[in-house]
Amino acid sequence: VVDMLPALKVQQGYLRGKLCKDFYGGTYLSFQGIPYAKPPTGNLRFKAPEPPEPWDGVRDCTREGNPPISRHVVTKTVNGSEDCLFLNVYTPELTEPKAVMFYVYGGAFIMGAGDKDLYGPDFLISQNVVVVTINYRLGLFGFLSLKDPTLEVPGNAAIKDVVQALRWVQENITHFGGDPNNVTILGGCVGAVCVQQLILSPQGKGLFHKAIMQSGSALGTRGIGQWSTPLIKKVLDLEEVNDRDIFNILNEMSAERIFQLQETIPDTYFPDVPRPFGIVQEAYQTKQTITSEDPLSVLQSGDYNSVPLMLGFAAREGYLVDLHYNQHKASANFERQIPFPLNVPAGSRLSDYVANELKGFYFGNDLEQQRSDDFFVFVGDNLFVRPIYKSAKLHSLTSSTPVYLYRMSLDADLNFFKAAFNCKRKGTSHADELGYLFTHMLTPTIRPHSIEAKGVEMFVKLWTNFAKYGDPNSPEDPIERPRWKPVQNGEMHFADLGENFTTGINPEEHRMAFWDRLEEKIANGM
């Protein structure tokens, strides 16, 4: 069958894909391992991506390109290459223009790839959309941030990879039956942080028309990084070094050695400091600057790319901290739990007050008697629910386009994160929605009419409705559901995606009201 597919022309040359079957038995065309940028190797290591080179002949796009160097999310084995800037396009057919769904993976900016073993299109593509998955650089390769402008490594190279891939889509997706004027960018975890950052950045303008943020926000701490030199200086035990010294030391290392070094840099879940690998406010301007401003200020200003937005969280986001960091109890030092974007000076009277408020509200001040579920609710709110809730409210107040908020509470056999980490706890974990949107290496057999089959149908329909129309409610939908109202004027309408689809107002109202009061007190110095 593969040989029978005609060669397809894109701007860089001809390529040939293969025919595949989706989950429901329909066929689609698969084009994998398409280079969207020059290999970021040699002089381009750590630098912003450059457009791809043309090729001669017909390129074989029946296999995926190299993933970025990282530990596999499920198997934990290290694989990949610096030459990793490839994307995959899956399309039902090549003629009629269809909505495009462009996915940015999560994985703490240190793990992940756009490969089918994690992000297969076999559910989504059944709804007549084009699915694009990409690779972007991770860890030090994607997030090295140096302040010396002569080095041209201000940070955010990985986010610039995503922008370059979006540009490639604008230039080429019509050849695959995609509509370049109807692109939805969606992402999970730090992929959602990237999505929001591109909504807020001039670099994203015109490259997408709708956005979906799954369990992540640029107002949180999980996707925010820092200047690299002090971190590397410390782990290499160096005395007097500057940015140029660090740049030269790293450039003399092999990719494998850089990855080994990266794994020695401390990276905790605590929100009081930025993470070692993440989005930074760039120290100087270039043509490709993603941001040099605080995301909250940009969001409050209303001066950003206003597109229809769907965003949400899982009922037990905090399971991430157990499954990824092996933490299931709060430690006594609650000052470490104060998110750094709140700008509370460490060791101050205000810091002591905020720490006690957090401890008292979530644990009643008795840490000896704490239940692990109290801890998971607390860290889930702190790292995910609060920033997502705040984002939904602020986007609704400063944007001219609709904002749809959801909470995922479905707990069944396709919940992705729980399957990947063999988690038996009750409740819906961070990243669990992925198992209902994508097929992957752990997808079990799905029985017709089961909770899992109905879950796939619900998620896929809502997500593809939104991609097509900018509205998850659709006149075409065969299943009668309550109308999902957008968040309006600060009224927090939401949909609960459980075994049944229900709607409500003010999710986690008591807990979010606590954070509202706390932030007001912080702003007023108590």
Side-chain angles (χ1 to χ4, degrees):
V1 177
V2 170
D3 292 334
M4 289 165 60
L5 280 190
L8 186 94
K9 189 173 190 322
V10 296
Q11 279 198 359
Q12 291 73 39
Y14 286 91
L15 47 83
R16 180 171 280 126
K18 63 185 177 187
L19 207 55
C20 295
K21 275 209 163 130
D22 72 24
F23 175 68
Y24 299 100
T27 57
Y28 65 91
L29 303 171
S30 161
F31 301 89
Q32 297 172 302
I34 307 171
Y36 68 81
K38 276 186 195 163
T41 55
N43 293 337
L44 295 181
R45 180 188 267 183
F46 309 127
K47 303 284 180 84
E50 295 192 358
E53 301 274 25
W55 60 78
D56 295 325
V58 178
R59 187 180 178 94
D60 178 5
C61 288
T62 60
R63 290 190 301 276
E64 289 157 341
N66 305 318
I69 299 173
S70 64
R71 274 189 194 282
H72 193 280
V73 175
V74 177
T75 66
K76 304 294 184 281
T77 53
V78 178
N79 65 345
S81 164
E82 280 190 87
D83 178 8
C84 64
L85 300 185
F86 301 96
L87 55 73
N88 311 302
V89 181
Y90 307 105
T91 180
E93 54 88 46
L94 300 173
T95 54
E96 161 210 351
K98 289 168 281 297
V100 179
M101 300 184 77
F102 177 105
Y103 188 74
V104 184
Y105 53 84
F109 287 141
I110 53 173
M111 292 182 288
D115 292 355
K116 253 187 166 180
D117 64 356
L118 292 175
Y119 303 107
D122 298 25
F123 295 148
L124 290 170
I125 204 146
S126 68
Q127 297 301 306
N128 201 35
V129 293
V130 174
V131 177
V132 178
T133 62
I134 69 164
N135 294 343
Y136 61 84
R137 285 171 281 178
L138 296 168
L140 283 171
F141 299 99
F143 293 96
L144 182 70
S145 168
L146 305 173
K147 293 181 180 178
D148 179 345
T150 64
L151 300 172
E152 300 178 330
V153 186
N156 301 334
I159 313 305
K160 294 164 190 174
D161 293 345
V162 177
V163 170
Q164 174 58 31
L166 283 163
R167 286 203 184 106
W168 187 95
V169 165
Q170 282 301 304
E171 292 164 1
N172 291 289
I173 207 67
T174 47
H175 303 301
F176 300 88
D179 182 353
N181 298 310
N182 192 6
V183 176
T184 296
I185 183 173
L186 62 158
C189 183
V190 292
V193 178
C194 172
V195 168
Q196 189 173 23
Q197 193 62 70
L198 291 179
I199 293 172
L200 300 176
S201 171
Q203 294 292 341
K205 194 169 178 61
L207 296 179
F208 54 90
H209 313 92
K210 307 176 183 77
I212 303 175
M213 294 161 47
Q214 300 160 203
S215 293
S217 163
L219 302 188
T221 57
R222 290 291 302 157
I224 310 304
Q226 56 182 297
W227 180 32
S228 302
T229 294
L231 296 173
I232 295 167
K233 179 181 168 186
K234 192 169 181 184
V235 294
L236 289 178
D237 198 19
L238 300 168
E239 292 292 327
E240 294 302 310
V241 288
N242 58 27
D243 282 1
R244 181 165 290 282
D245 299 328
I246 293 294
F247 181 71
N248 291 338
I249 288 165
L250 291 176
N251 264 323
E252 283 167 16
M253 289 183 182
S254 67
E256 293 71 24
R257 176 73 188 95
I258 290 172
F259 181 76
Q260 287 165 358
L261 170 70
Q262 176 186 308
E263 290 212 310
T264 66
I265 296 173
D267 184 11
T268 76
Y269 80 89
F270 288 109
D272 61 331
V273 288
R275 292 200 40 250
F277 318 107
I279 298 170
V280 295
Q281 292 169 38
E282 295 175 44
Y284 53 91
Q285 294 283 327
T286 66
K287 281 193 305 205
Q288 289 167 293
T289 299
I290 297 295
T291 183
S292 51
E293 295 178 82
D294 166 47
L296 180 59
S297 310
V298 180
L299 184 47
Q300 287 170 328
S301 76
D303 184 15
Y304 58 85
N305 311 307
S306 183
V307 295
L309 175 64
M310 190 163 104
L311 74 168
F313 58 89
R316 282 293 175 273
E317 290 283 352
Y319 286 169
L320 168 85
V321 174
D322 177 25
L323 303 176
H324 190 63
Y325 294 97
N326 200 25
Q327 293 282 330
H328 45 269
K329 281 201 163 179
S331 54
N333 181 5
F334 259 72
E335 289 195 51
R336 292 229 58 196
Q337 302 288 2
I338 302 172
F340 73 83
L342 294 180
N343 295 317
V344 175
S348 64
R349 207 169 117 252
L350 180 59
S351 178
D352 187 50
Y353 170 80
V354 172
N356 283 323
E357 286 289 295
L358 290 171
K359 193 190 315 181
F361 181 79
Y362 282 94
F363 301 96
N365 280 317
D366 187 358
L367 289 182
E368 293 304 311
Q369 300 301 313
Q370 68 175 293
R371 297 173 312 166
S372 56
D373 196 54
D374 294 336
F375 174 67
F376 296 133
V377 169
F378 167 60
V379 289
D381 284 358
N382 198 349
L383 298 181
F384 298 103
V385 181
R386 176 60 188 172
I388 291 162
Y389 186 93
K390 191 171 171 178
S391 290
K393 186 176 265 190
L394 286 171
H395 276 285
S396 80
L397 293 171
T398 59
S399 164
S400 56
T401 48
V403 176
Y404 295 92
L405 178 66
Y406 71 85
R407 174 180 64 202
M408 179 187 179
S409 60
L410 179 57
D411 188 12
D413 287 350
L414 292 186
N415 288 40
F416 172 75
F417 217 69
K418 287 172 74 177
F421 288 89
N422 197 23
C423 171
K424 303 293 184 219
R425 295 183 188 277
K426 289 220 174 317
T428 310
S429 171
H430 179 73
D432 269 354
E433 79 286 346
L434 296 174
Y436 299 87
L437 294 167
F438 298 99
T439 48
H440 54 82
M441 63 195 291
L442 300 175
T443 302
T445 302
I446 301 171
R447 288 176 294 109
H449 315 298
S450 61
I451 292 171
E452 290 77 17
K454 287 175 182 166
V456 168
E457 200 176 326
M458 173 174 68
F459 273 89
V460 166
K461 204 72 190 162
L462 294 169
W463 262 242
T464 55
N465 282 348
F466 182 79
K468 290 172 184 175
Y469 314 113
D471 183 343
N473 307 286
S474 157
E476 289 176 12
D477 208 330
I479 295 174
E480 282 292 316
R481 291 194 184 94
R483 183 157 186 80
W484 181 352
K485 291 182 185 169
V487 176
Q488 271 172 327
N489 304 322
E491 278 212 332
M492 305 300 286
H493 295 283
F494 76 103
D496 185 87
L497 312 182
E499 281 192 36
N500 297 302
F501 175 95
T502 57
T503 56
I505 192 161
N506 297 329
E508 327 307 355
E509 183 173 14
H510 178 54
R511 292 172 2 225
M512 292 304 105
F514 162 77
W515 281 93
D516 284 340
R517 292 192 304 272
L518 185 64
E519 288 194 24
E520 204 173 311
K521 286 176 180 170
I522 290 167
N524 297 327
M526 276 157 37

